[in-house]
Amino acid sequence: MKAIQYVRVGEAPELNEIEKPAPGPGQVLLEITAAGVCHSDDFVMNAPADQLGFPLPLTLGHEGAGRIAELGPGVDTVEVGMNVLVYGPWGCGVCWFCSQGVENYCSRAEQLGIFPPGLGAPGAIAEYMVVDSPRHLVPIGELDPIKTVPLTDAGLTPYHAIKLSLPKLVPGANAVVIGAGGLGHVGIQLLRHLTPARVIALDVTEDKLEFAESVGAHEVVLSDENAVANVRKITGSAGAQAVFDFVGYQPTIDTAMGVVGTAGDVTIVGLGDGKAAAKVGFWAQPYEVAVRSPYWGTRNELIELVDLAHRGVLDVAVETFDLDNGVEAYRRLAAGNLKGRAVIVP
Ligand code: NAD
Ligand code: ZN
Ligand code: ZN
């Protein structure tokens, strides 16, 4: 079968012909219907060899959707033919976090050598993939897998981040979104749907700001050296009650810390260059600001998002590529000129 793989450290991914996998006991084989391309893949492919943490070649893709093609021995809770999304942050299923569906914070994954698909285990940018357990599948029924697959990460990650700040996003509150890309453009829609807050979006080009407005931002601000002053012109002295940084480089973290108001939340989602950080201390930010850096989301949150999708309240922007052109999707992602999510359709 065809698969897009990261083969050599620092080099572009490649389209390869590899053996079609077979599901082992307790596993499920999916025929992939759609797979999303995330900026985190780019981060991984820029990491030095000693920080990779898993062997190459790696089939990429941690956003996957598919049709169940085959059940491994002992699987009887799902059926061949079902359309499903793959919940990506696989955990052990047994620890305290996993028992609540919070597999993204599994306390035993590292010790047990469990990796998410596309980030250590073979991923979804291929004709088929093996899912380790039916627990990691969410049925989507008749939803279009191409428009739905980004919910597994570009939707789930902002949803998890926003849910943590919901109590602060009351009428009159300001929510700031930095970076209106794959995650950010879904984040804006979720903020509009779940909260009455005013949504202020920041990005680096007029094109991206227009895109942010088109998906629901009330106000847009260019992310430059004047960003803090320009956002504060909108929020007034109260500042923002929640800031979501979907970029995570030092300048955007500084902007986030500069616009947050008293008792507000700063949520750093973007991985940036792997080094940037917020400075926190009594004198560093307004009183009672909380700073957090969440990872992905929970199983139940993905089920909730699919429910939102069924109700038609999300419109994920996608640009599609076939497997033969999938490497081009990664080139476009790195160049920063995608609108929404790149989705590869085998
Ligand atoms: P993307 O490339 O689709 O979007 C990034 C957006 O940020 C683009 O619109 C780009 O123009 C904009 N941007 C770049 N520099 C900017 C700046 N200085 N100011 C404002 N906007 C700027 O990326 P994505 O797939 O949406 O991922 C976003 C980030 O989130 C990445 O760092 C990714 O690795 C990370 N991520 C984190 C998690 C997590 O669990 N914490 C999950 C998924 C992705
Ligand atoms: Zn991702
Ligand atoms: Zn666990």
Side-chain angles (χ1 to χ4, degrees):
M1 67 168 189
K2 289 177 183 173
I4 293 187
Q5 296 192 307
Y6 181 43
V7 180
R8 277 171 297 275
V9 172
E11 289 183 19
E14 297 171 10
L15 177 66
N16 285 331
E17 189 66 34
I18 61 169
E19 208 175 310
K20 180 183 164 186
Q27 300 180 330
V28 177
L29 182 74
L30 294 188
E31 183 185 357
I32 297 297
T33 48
V37 169
C38 177
H39 213 113
S40 299
D41 295 335
D42 195 64
F43 182 87
V44 167
M45 290 190 281
N46 280 301
D50 60 331
Q51 280 170 30
L52 210 53
F54 48 79
L56 298 181
L58 169 76
T59 299
L60 291 165
H62 55 271
E63 286 187 348
R67 199 173 302 111
I68 297 181
E70 203 183 317
L71 306 178
V75 177
D76 56 9
T77 51
V78 290
E79 282 165 31
V80 169
M82 278 170 86
N83 279 321
V84 293
L85 294 183
V86 179
Y87 173 77
W90 296 351
C92 72
V94 174
C95 74
W96 186 83
F97 285 105
C98 285
S99 71
Q100 304 170 86
V102 190
E103 296 204 26
N104 48 321
Y105 298 144
C106 174
S107 55
R108 299 178 66 225
E110 194 179 343
Q111 175 196 339
L112 294 171
I114 301 171
F115 293 99
L119 293 166
I125 307 183
E127 290 174 276
Y128 293 89
M129 86 177 272
V130 166
V131 176
D132 66 341
S133 163
R135 185 176 86 241
H136 295 141
L137 300 174
V138 178
I140 59 170
E142 299 305 311
L143 288 174
D144 174 9
I146 297 171
K147 298 276 276 181
T148 311
V149 72
L151 296 185
T152 57
D153 178 13
L156 180 56
T157 302
Y159 183 62
H160 177 76
I162 290 165
K163 272 187 87 172
L164 295 169
S165 290
L166 283 181
K168 297 184 181 178
L169 294 174
V170 297
N174 295 294
V176 172
V177 171
I178 305 177
L183 272 67
H185 95 284
V186 185
I188 292 167
Q189 297 182 44
L190 289 168
L191 284 165
R192 286 302 309 273
H193 187 72
L194 301 172
T195 84
R198 180 204 268 140
V199 179
I200 306 166
L202 280 68
D203 210 302
V204 287
T205 64
E206 287 301 335
D207 226 34
K208 296 271 179 147
L209 293 184
E210 261 173 44
F211 176 56
E213 256 175 340
S214 75
V215 295
H218 295 105
E219 307 276 352
V220 292
V221 171
L222 209 53
S223 183
D224 59 13
E225 62 284 2
N226 303 317
V228 170
N230 288 333
V231 170
R232 283 197 167 266
K233 271 184 207 157
I234 300 167
T235 64
S237 55
Q241 285 61 55
V243 187
F244 303 94
D245 181 358
F246 294 111
V247 182
Y249 280 89
Q250 200 59 54
T252 58
I253 293 178
D254 292 346
T255 298
M257 295 303 283
V259 301
V260 69
T262 299
D265 288 344
V266 171
T267 305
I268 302 166
V269 175
L271 308 183
D273 58 1
K275 295 191 224 21
K279 195 174 154 197
V280 179
F282 190 86
W283 307 102
Q285 73 287 313
Y287 298 132
E288 221 173 293
V289 163
V291 180
R292 58 171 86 87
S293 48
Y295 169 67
W296 224 326
T298 69
R299 273 175 59 207
N300 44 306
E301 285 167 345
L302 183 56
I303 292 170
E304 291 166 21
L305 265 181
V306 169
D307 195 67
L308 276 183
H310 275 296
R311 282 189 273 147
V313 298
L314 298 172
D315 187 11
V316 181
V318 297
E319 289 196 42
T320 57
F321 299 80
D322 58 22
L323 270 175
D324 294 326
N325 295 308
V327 173
E328 170 67 6
Y330 277 102
R331 207 192 54 72
R332 293 270 313 279
L333 176 81
N337 59 20
L338 285 166
K339 245 187 203 142
R341 204 58 151 178
V343 173
I344 295 173
V345 185

